[in-house]
Amino acid sequence: MHEQISNEQLLEVANKFSTPLYVYHAEKINQQYQKLTSAFADINTTFFYASKALTNINILKYIKDIGCNVDCSSINEVKLAILAGFPVDRILYTSNGIDFSEIEEAVEARVHINIDSLSNLEKFGKKFGHSYPVGIRIRPNIMAGGNLKIATGHDGSKFGIPVDQLSKIEQLIKTTNLYIKTLHIHTGSDIKDPDVFVKGIEVLFELIPHFPELEIIDLGGGFKVPYKAGDEETDIIMLAKKIKETFENHPVANGKNFKLWFEPGKFLVSACGNLLARVTVVKDNGNTVFAAVNSGLNHLIRPMMYDAYHHIENISNPAGVKKVYTITGNICETDTFGSDRDINEIREGDILSFHNAGAYGFEMASNYNSRFKPAEVLIKDGKTQLIRKRDEMEDLLRNQVI
Ligand code: LLP
């Protein structure tokens, strides 16, 4: 049974490993995975964790151990997945905008591949013909996702081959004898509405007659997770029900026994992670009380990059009277984590906890302002384990030619 990590435990971990610190709770990942597998139990479905959300190798190993597969967005992620022990038939590489040599490497590694341009598809067909089954990423021209920066399926998006270029794909199949096994779409991130996935399936269903060797419908990732009070997660049970009905009601898809694939990132790892940071300065600048922490957009870029909301708690003063604060980082440009938040009284030295930091948190961190990247800790089976050391000065100099 999954038990929430308490704020007291988080505080202990912060004291032991110091801050800034990413803390992940393994069982929370499994809990999310079980939600998916149980909802889709009677549909032939496989989940590939979108590892771009968080690639620490200990997380990858854990995800492999609970039975989930892995989706990669670069050849290096493929290599990490192999190092983590995933058998190659449990690894998917969904490429975009990449040099063909990376696809050749992926073929050498024998992983599943989705291709997202006519240009690479043509090169693939010419080199591998019918010898290597491959997937095509289709751009369904559907607008979906939490905001424009994370919407990927609309008609202005760089991703995939537009569905209206079907005749060009068919031409390539004819001339190079491609073996198209998968049709893939990923319409965006933070999608709450199950009907968006149904719409996507309907676009792909129209294409079925053009791909006689089709076995897999891959709907990508994008399930929404709650970031703030009142937010709702994508209703996975409803989603599974609607998808099942869509397959059963479709005259061409019904009876074909297509396999269904998903590539969830946030859904699996967002809520498992907290970023812990120490308050360095509290200052009243007239109309705003700022609390600055020993972290910043260099460690968690989502608020500044997507205006993303991350719940913030003062875990070292839970009984403090609530006051209004704007929480910032220590980076030498505006790096607001949250504005006008009601938080238990913040004193210098307090530890703040930033929720939903598992997905695209550490993974998008940088050394901006020559600050060190945080350490990472994993709590699993009640045990706390350091899974990445904090950077040191030599990490900033590594690769610099002096
Ligand atoms: N599959 C493909 C092909 C993707 O491009 C992505 C995410 C996923 C799966 C996983 O999507 P998820 O389930 O995590 O929503 N950095 C942004 C999100 C960018 C997502 C990019 N692609 C953020 O922090 O919101």
Side-chain angles (χ1 to χ4, degrees):
M1 192 45 209
H2 163 75
E3 278 177 38
Q4 217 52 37
I5 300 281
S6 68
N7 284 345
E8 290 75 29
Q9 269 174 295
L10 286 177
L11 202 53
E12 260 174 47
V13 176
N15 287 334
K16 180 164 177 201
F17 295 95
S18 190
T19 56
L21 185 71
Y22 273 96
V23 183
Y24 311 116
H25 184 202
E27 283 79 12
K28 179 70 191 169
I29 302 176
N30 196 12
Q31 185 193 35
Q32 291 297 94
Y33 181 58
Q34 297 308 324
K35 273 191 210 169
L36 294 174
T37 51
S38 59
F40 282 87
D42 59 351
I43 309 175
N44 187 355
T45 311
T46 307
F47 297 94
F48 293 76
Y49 163 58
S51 60
K52 64 173 79 64
L54 176 60
T55 54
N56 187 294
I57 194 143
N58 298 275
I59 299 288
L60 295 180
K61 282 182 183 161
Y62 180 77
I63 283 180
K64 178 202 65 179
D65 289 346
I66 61 176
C68 186
N69 289 0
V70 66
D71 171 51
C72 304
S73 58
S74 72
I75 196 69
N76 292 342
E77 283 183 2
V78 170
K79 289 174 185 170
L80 284 173
I82 291 171
L83 280 175
F86 281 94
V88 289
D89 63 350
R90 288 176 57 191
I91 302 176
L92 169 63
Y93 178 25
T94 300
S95 61
N96 97 83
I98 58 160
D99 193 84
F100 184 64
S101 59
E102 270 201 31
I103 295 181
E104 290 175 306
E105 271 193 77
V107 169
E108 232 164 87
R110 313 303 294 173
V111 300
H112 303 283
I113 301 168
N114 289 326
I115 291 184
D116 106 318
S117 67
L118 287 170
S119 148
N120 272 333
L121 198 59
E122 180 172 7
K123 289 176 192 155
F124 195 91
K126 282 188 173 150
K127 175 137 192 194
F128 301 108
H130 204 263
S131 70
Y132 201 95
V134 74
I136 311 181
R137 179 167 183 170
I138 298 289
R139 194 187 74 189
N141 298 344
I142 294 172
M143 178 57 96
N147 64 64
L148 194 56
K149 283 187 185 154
I150 53 175
T152 50
H154 57 89
D155 66 6
S157 162
K158 72 164 184 171
F159 293 99
I161 303 173
V163 61
D164 36 282
Q165 292 179 7
L166 174 65
S167 62
K168 293 189 174 152
I169 300 174
E170 283 190 294
Q171 190 59 30
L172 284 179
I173 296 177
K174 221 162 145 195
T175 52
T176 66
N177 197 18
L178 279 157
Y179 176 177
I180 306 299
K181 183 171 157 183
T182 306
L183 287 180
H184 169 280
I185 53 170
H186 170 77
T187 49
S189 206
D190 282 350
I191 300 169
K192 191 183 131 208
D193 182 3
D195 288 337
V196 170
F197 293 92
V198 171
K199 255 208 236 162
I201 296 174
E202 282 165 352
V203 171
L204 295 183
F205 278 178
E206 290 303 303
L207 306 181
I208 293 173
H210 303 269
F211 299 94
E213 295 177 296
L214 192 66
E215 287 172 39
I216 299 157
I217 302 278
D218 177 351
L219 296 180
F223 306 143
K224 184 173 168 44
V225 297
Y227 279 94
K228 62 168 113 141
D231 265 6
E232 277 171 41
E233 198 167 83
T234 310
D235 184 341
I236 298 296
I237 294 176
M238 175 65 76
L239 176 74
K241 185 171 166 278
K242 287 196 171 192
I243 288 183
K244 196 170 176 211
E245 283 167 8
T246 312
F247 271 83
E248 284 171 355
N249 294 338
H250 196 275
V252 186
N254 189 21
K256 286 232 176 207
N257 277 331
F258 286 121
K259 293 178 195 144
L260 184 63
W261 286 7
F262 284 105
E263 304 157 2
K266 273 181 195 164
F267 192 83
L268 290 175
V269 299
S270 176
C272 84
N274 291 65
L275 170 64
L276 305 180
R278 185 169 47 80
V279 177
T280 40
V281 173
V282 179
K283 60 160 129 170
D284 183 343
N285 265 13
N287 42 16
T288 307
V289 180
F290 290 99
V293 294
N294 62 349
S295 182
L297 63 76
N298 52 330
H299 297 160
L300 180 63
I301 202 170
R302 300 192 73 258
M304 290 308 290
M305 186 142 170
Y306 312 111
D307 292 325
Y309 184 99
H310 285 260
H311 181 57
I312 305 171
E313 269 184 290
N314 181 357
I315 60 173
S316 50
N317 191 19
V321 177
K322 291 232 166 149
K323 295 189 177 166
V324 178
Y325 297 94
T326 289
I327 310 300
T328 72
N330 58 4
I331 286 298
C332 200
E333 66 174 279
T334 302
D335 64 340
T336 309
F337 281 115
S339 299
D340 301 326
R341 299 288 184 89
D342 265 337
I343 299 180
N344 299 102
E345 185 184 7
I346 298 179
R347 304 148 312 177
E348 292 181 358
D350 275 342
I351 302 293
L352 303 190
S353 170
F354 298 79
H355 289 240
N356 284 95
Y360 310 106
F362 185 91
E363 207 56 33
M364 295 177 81
S366 75
N367 289 111
Y368 186 38
N369 279 195
S370 294
R371 297 237 169 240
F372 300 147
K373 283 197 204 165
E376 293 177 290
V377 157
L378 178 64
I379 303 179
K380 189 170 77 156
D381 302 327
K383 291 194 197 86
T384 302
Q385 179 196 355
L386 183 69
I387 57 171
R388 182 191 299 264
K389 292 190 281 186
R390 190 180 314 289
D391 277 353
E392 293 174 352
M393 203 57 205
E394 63 191 39
D395 295 304
L396 299 185
L397 286 165
R398 174 168 305 137
N399 296 335
Q400 294 196 41
V401 180
I402 303 175

